[in-house]
Amino acid sequence: MRRFVLCMGVVVCLLVAGAAAEAQAPVDFSNATTTVLPDGNVRINNVRVNLPPDVVGTFFATFAFTLEIPGYRLVDFGPWIGSEGGGPFDTYFSLAVVENGHNHAGANLLFLDFNGDTPSANTVVSRRVSANSIRLDGSMADWDPTMLSTIPGRPMNNYPLSEFFDAINTEITVGSAYDEENFYLLVSWLDANNDRSDRRNEWQFDGTSWSALTHARVAAGTRQANVVNRDDRLSGAESEDRVLIFFPIVDTENNFTAGGIGCGAYCHANLARSGNPATTNIAEGVSVMATNVAGDLGDEWHWKAARSAPMGSADDRKVSFAEGTADGRGSDAGRGTDGSNSNQAGDGPSFMPIGGGSARVLYDAAKQPLDQSLLRAGDFLPFAVSRAPQGSRGEVRTVDSFDPATGRWVVEFQRKMFTGNPDDHQFTEGPDAAPPTSPAVNFGDSASGRPLYAQKCAACHGASGEGVFAGDAWSVPRVQRTSSPLILRAIRYVPAMRGVELAPQQAEDIAAFLQTQIIAQQ
């Protein structure tokens, strides 16, 4: 961290502008921590100060000045000297990868250590690099291998059950870097089904009518081949591979701190609100994401192999407060990369390539209205029209590559360090988050989790997590194939579970056991 420290006793007086302006009490900034922001302005403690043009981006050993700021009339502050460290403030984030659906494997809490020395299974080091030394090309060649972290990507969410194949343990390689203008993130992993899934809801034409492409089955010999619900009749159509990244913006609950549960605090499976299991998947229609406190806000980067990747972008979204089964997820200002290619009735596409024929990707500039006379049986069209993103929603650039020989994805992300948008996490200087005090949670051990579950959970949830459904309601929810963050969240928020004590690794071991439990479909 580069921190400029006021070394002389200085009093700063802020007078609020406007007809009703009143002098506020003087603020003593003696020995205050002052940080230089990426745009050249400064922040004194938590107060942003926009410097005059002849000062912006200039560092002085000592100086003093008076300036006007929009919204204020007088700001006086004096000598600055010295600096220590360098880089944005250390923070925590969440990361997960998705195999052809929604169910994801990752880490609910990772430490982002700017200019640190030691990457680890729960710490991603972000080093400052010279401009243009990180090329956004979908390759790991320009990344220092000694500064990459190998993350045990654990199942984070498998709800609704039987919508898609369950997430499985997945090692994820993560790297980070930054320069004067941009923040970079590298995410690489072996696809669980050893294929590139980028045909989400693809329209299939039989010569007369249209239908959605059915979900691909697991491939023999892949890591997903033995997934526990491999024989389920999936309710979801073909989907896409994805990457989910979550940074805190406002976090009054301290979920993104050492010992927190990260994004797990915001995942509301609402298992007790599930419908009749004879007709409804567990958590179907009720599983949502939202912060728990009004005003808390998160920044979500959502890379999608079918919808955002063709435009070299990740969907920049936000997660805010909501209650019950309301979803707190929403879009940043602007528009996303995927326009609709569904007709008003929802039973076919609206557009096709100019001149007809099939297309995996349909770009906005190369589309025409659908004319089925130009198509034949077996043709296919994408569910979305790819278009350039706009506004805050399009600020995260990406380039990806997939190696069919190895099944490895590489996705590189780039975003401005400072965007100025309230719906973005800003990579600026400030107070560091404290580093982790506990070791990384490793892949769960089902054999260790079985007796823990029997001791801590089975009395209520049943021997295999089947729960109790009676009178058209769940008196005790079914918890099969849950995740450790959801277990820890339940301990924190569900009154009946308060008092249960579990270490994060114990919760992961219990989750590993529950992920082997399944009730055969009727």
Side-chain angles (χ1 to χ4, degrees):
M1 298 274 169
R2 183 190 299 119
R3 294 194 179 94
F4 289 82
V5 183
L6 294 170
C7 295
M8 297 179 59
V10 179
V11 173
V12 179
C13 212
L14 302 183
L15 299 181
V16 180
E22 296 180 1
Q24 295 184 345
V27 181
D28 186 358
F29 279 101
S30 304
N31 297 316
T33 296
T34 305
T35 61
V36 178
L37 303 176
D39 61 1
N41 290 294
V42 297
R43 186 183 302 277
I44 303 177
N45 286 349
N46 291 319
V47 179
R48 177 182 169 83
V49 180
N50 296 314
L51 301 180
D54 60 331
V55 176
V56 169
T58 306
F59 302 140
F60 294 89
T62 62
F63 63 89
F65 54 85
T66 300
L67 63 143
E68 301 278 339
I69 304 177
Y72 298 93
R73 278 206 290 265
L74 174 66
V75 178
D76 268 332
F77 56 97
W80 304 20
I81 65 169
S83 70
E84 50 183 340
F89 65 87
D90 300 337
T91 188
Y92 285 84
F93 72 109
S94 306
L95 181 146
V97 298
V98 180
E99 161 54 30
N100 198 4
H102 169 264
N103 300 337
H104 43 283
N108 54 301
L109 193 68
L110 293 171
F111 184 55
L112 184 59
D113 187 3
F114 283 96
N115 293 318
D117 296 316
T118 310
S120 69
N122 63 356
T123 297
V124 176
V125 170
S126 187
R127 288 282 188 90
R128 177 152 186 166
V129 296
S130 59
N132 302 317
S133 63
I134 297 294
R135 299 181 301 275
L136 230 61
D137 56 7
S139 169
M140 298 172 64
D142 49 349
W143 291 85
D144 180 356
T146 67
M147 298 308 295
L148 301 179
S149 299
T150 300
I151 306 300
R154 302 164 284 118
M156 291 287 106
N157 187 35
N158 283 320
Y159 297 119
L161 293 183
S162 300
E163 181 182 21
F164 300 110
F165 293 119
D166 287 0
I168 61 172
N169 290 337
T170 303
E171 282 194 348
I172 308 171
T173 299
V174 185
S176 181
Y178 72 99
D179 58 28
E180 186 68 24
E181 295 291 332
N182 297 306
F183 171 78
Y184 304 91
L185 201 64
L186 166 76
V187 182
S188 179
W189 72 102
L190 289 175
D191 186 87
N193 205 43
N194 202 39
D195 61 355
R196 179 186 183 111
S197 301
D198 58 359
R199 303 172 65 183
R200 179 181 181 271
N201 291 351
E202 186 178 83
W203 292 112
Q204 306 288 303
F205 188 51
D206 66 6
T208 303
S209 61
W210 297 88
S211 60
L213 180 64
T214 56
H215 197 288
R217 306 305 298 178
V218 295
T222 65
R223 292 184 307 109
Q224 197 178 35
N226 295 319
V227 68
V228 68
N229 68 332
R230 60 189 175 275
D231 296 323
D232 275 8
R233 298 186 303 275
L234 300 183
S235 60
E238 178 71 357
S239 190
E240 61 193 328
D241 296 335
R242 314 186 198 193
V243 178
L244 299 163
I245 302 167
F246 191 98
F247 292 99
I249 300 175
V250 179
D251 177 29
T252 61
E253 287 190 306
N254 295 319
N255 294 307
F256 286 84
T257 58
I261 56 176
C263 65
Y266 305 148
C267 187
H268 302 255
N270 288 318
L271 299 180
R273 297 173 183 257
S274 293
N276 189 324
T279 58
T280 307
N281 293 329
I282 298 299
E284 182 177 350
V286 297
S287 180
V288 296
M289 193 169 188
T291 64
N292 305 297
V293 176
D296 277 8
L297 187 66
D299 185 9
E300 181 188 73
W301 301 359
H302 192 173
W303 176 85
K304 314 166 193 177
R307 288 175 289 169
S308 71
M311 299 308 302
S313 182
D315 199 1
D316 194 355
R317 297 169 59 83
K318 59 188 175 184
V319 176
S320 57
F321 173 68
E323 296 181 288
T325 58
D327 202 336
R329 287 173 292 191
S331 300
D332 284 10
R335 76 173 190 183
T337 56
D338 51 314
S340 172
N341 191 27
S342 179
N343 62 27
Q344 190 170 9
D347 59 3
S350 293
F351 303 103
M352 67 181 189
I354 294 173
S358 295
R360 286 272 186 266
V361 177
L362 180 59
Y363 293 101
D364 193 47
K367 74 178 191 297
Q368 72 167 59
L370 183 72
D371 181 352
Q372 290 190 177
S373 68
L374 299 176
L375 300 173
R376 59 185 180 181
D379 278 345
F380 50 85
L381 293 171
F383 189 75
V385 174
S386 295
R387 62 190 185 184
Q390 295 177 349
S392 178
R393 193 171 175 183
E395 288 171 331
V396 182
R397 294 182 55 213
T398 66
V399 175
D400 64 83
S401 66
F402 178 77
D403 183 351
T406 63
R408 178 166 290 280
W409 275 108
V410 176
V411 185
E412 293 179 291
F413 298 79
Q414 174 191 306
R415 203 212 70 186
K416 294 292 185 184
M417 297 279 284
F418 179 80
T419 67
N421 294 320
D423 48 19
D424 291 329
H425 176 94
Q426 307 298 332
F427 300 100
T428 57
E429 295 195 5
D432 286 330
T437 55
S438 301
V441 179
N442 211 334
F443 294 131
D445 176 47
S446 177
S448 299
R450 182 184 293 270
L452 273 172
Y453 175 82
Q455 176 189 355
K456 301 279 189 177
C457 318
C460 294
H461 291 282
S464 66
E466 67 274 15
V468 178
F469 184 82
D472 206 34
W474 290 94
S475 58
V476 180
R478 179 178 167 189
V479 292
Q480 289 179 343
R481 285 135 60 210
T482 195
S483 68
S484 64
L486 289 180
I487 293 172
L488 295 173
R489 185 187 189 282
I491 291 173
R492 178 187 293 183
Y493 294 106
V494 177
M497 292 190 65
R498 289 175 186 161
V500 176
E501 294 184 0
L502 286 174
Q505 187 62 58
Q506 290 179 310
E508 185 62 32
D509 291 342
I510 289 175
F513 163 69
L514 288 171
Q515 284 152 20
T516 68
Q517 303 304 298
I518 186 168
I519 296 174
Q521 290 182 325
Q522 302 300 315

